[in-house]
Amino acid sequence: MKDYLDYLKVSAAMGRISRRDFMGRAAAVGVTAAAANTMLAEAVHAAGPQKGGIMRLGLQGGSTTDSLDPALATNQVALMAIRLWGESLTELADDGSIVGKVAESFSASADAKTWTFKIREGITFSNGKSVTAEDVVATIERHSDEDAKSGALGLLRDITNVSADGDSVVVELNSANADLPYMLADYHLAIQPNGGKDAPDAAIGTGPYIIKEAEMGVRIIAEKNPDFWGDMGHAAEIEVLVINDNTARVAALQSGQVDMIDRVPPRTADLINRAPGITVRTSSGPGHYVFIMHCDTEPFANNDVRMALKYGINRQEMVDKILHGYGSVGNDTPINASYPLYTEMEQREYDPDKAAFHMKKSGYEGSILLRTSDNSFPGAPDAAALFQQSCAGAGITVEIKREPNDGYWSEVWNAQPFCTSYWGGRPTQDQMYTTAYLSTADWNDTRFNNETFDQLLMAARAELDTAKRKQMYADMGMIVRDEGGLICPMFNDFLDATTDRVAGWVDGVAGQPLMNAYAPFRMWVAA
């Protein structure tokens, strides 16, 4: 019996028989479905990565207004597209440390104001052209240009000069920055021929796949890059389907239309995890669901209005009813304990009396219009309704406008004065603050402009004393919490799900959902 089961396991793991055949034959000799699933999973992992096959993803977030220009990426689908074809100078390792990617190595001067990145030898773009230091320089130059509208613009403003020196790139800064390698791992900064200046949306890079078809907001098809220098990318083809509706995305996974999905709805996660052949993957980190107000637009230009709304939200209720326990309570800052230099601060609680006090003090007597969509985060319309109810307890009227999923990231987010949104977080506090709260950042989606905050942010980059730097970040957190336009009720766990048709998932990977968006490249088709 054992020899027969071993034979079946090896045959299934090597793809000689289908999963269905394995399950049927195992059942015929008295093995339960649960035991058979476990046996098969162990055999697949033991067999190691398999080459070939088609892997399909169902992702939320894409829209017809998306672009293959990495500078304009605003959502999970756009991030995944970049991962397919492109790579940055550096990348986040599984443990959250920073390692070289297009850059083989990097080093800093003693004052951390000059950084040198040695470009990896022998790698080529998908068009066959060798990658040069000049391509890297041009990439940084393009994303530093105001006209590029790059999501990485705020990260690069402190660069005073970037130049090629043989096979190396030298980056000179106005002030010291120990976190520069983390910043240059930003997914917008995918290295392109001539920096993408000639064809920013051509999707030519050094990644494991080559884009063969891209219908934005619908699907992206990519084939394995035969000249890829690394060891990722086991499937012969990857297809990304944009499925913004939660029910449809889960149904696609359960029916086998796709092999993995992101943003599993928390309210049904336990039920989905019990389905045969499906595993829900959970990881906690810096991701957070938010309500964002433009600090330069009435009535939100009045800080008392902002404070009224911050006291008018019931954070614990949202964690319980929206996240269903898959997350933690937020405190109106984008930073939580997942960041190494985090400092705990007094938790802001729901207080309808304080909310009413601040609203009366502001002198504003009208209603508040909140825009939302399922595309902003799972359960966002329900979260908006809870917010509406808790504010009503303070005598504040919140009107909800449900916007279409398509176009939300171009027409609502960073455009309308009050809406629901999400952030996946960033590897360091400096990068999170620089991307979204520095007054000059292109992605400053709360229109936050605070001179003291900006000065602290610049000073913290140059501070080598960890205790002093930690205190600076604590001070910045208090400024954002008490003066900013961010309402952060909850930090969400990342909930992804895979079928047993694919294998190779690694738990505990730092960064974004789906193993920092590398899951389809590090996993393989197993059945």
Side-chain angles (χ1 to χ4, degrees), residues 280-314:
V280 172
R281 314 287 186 172
T282 306
S283 58
S284 59
H288 47 291
Y289 296 157
V290 297
F291 298 79
I292 50 177
M293 304 172 281
H294 287 181
C295 296
D296 63 354
T297 305
E298 295 296 344
F300 311 108
N302 188 317
N303 193 43
D304 278 302
V305 171
R306 302 197 295 269
M307 290 297 290
L309 294 172
K310 291 175 184 180
Y311 279 115
I313 195 165
N314 190 325

Side-chain angles (χ1 to χ4, degrees), residues 436-485:
Y437 298 91
L438 184 66
S439 60
T440 53
D442 197 52
W443 275 15
N444 181 357
D445 58 7
T446 57
R447 305 293 192 270
F448 182 58
N449 189 339
N450 186 289
E451 185 177 354
T452 302
F453 177 90
D454 288 356
Q455 291 172 349
L456 278 168
L457 183 57
M458 296 302 109
R461 288 180 184 171
E463 181 54 65
L464 301 181
D465 185 300
T466 299
K468 291 180 180 178
R469 196 178 191 205
K470 184 176 181 180
Q471 184 57 53
M472 289 177 179
Y473 286 134
D475 293 342
M476 283 184 267
M478 291 297 292
I479 292 172
V480 171
R481 176 180 180 267
D482 294 337
E483 301 179 41

Side-chain angles (χ1 to χ4, degrees), residues 27-83:
V29 294
V31 178
T32 66
N37 271 322
T38 299
M39 291 167 58
L40 182 56
E42 291 173 348
V44 167
H45 280 278
Q50 305 299 306
K51 301 294 184 181
I54 299 174
M55 192 179 295
R56 297 182 176 89
L57 287 69
L59 302 183
Q60 186 184 55
S63 71
T64 56
T65 58
D66 288 346
S67 170
L68 286 175
D69 179 355
L72 305 179
T74 59
N75 55 55
Q76 187 70 15
V77 176
L79 165 60
M80 187 60 70
I82 295 171
R83 289 281 198 257

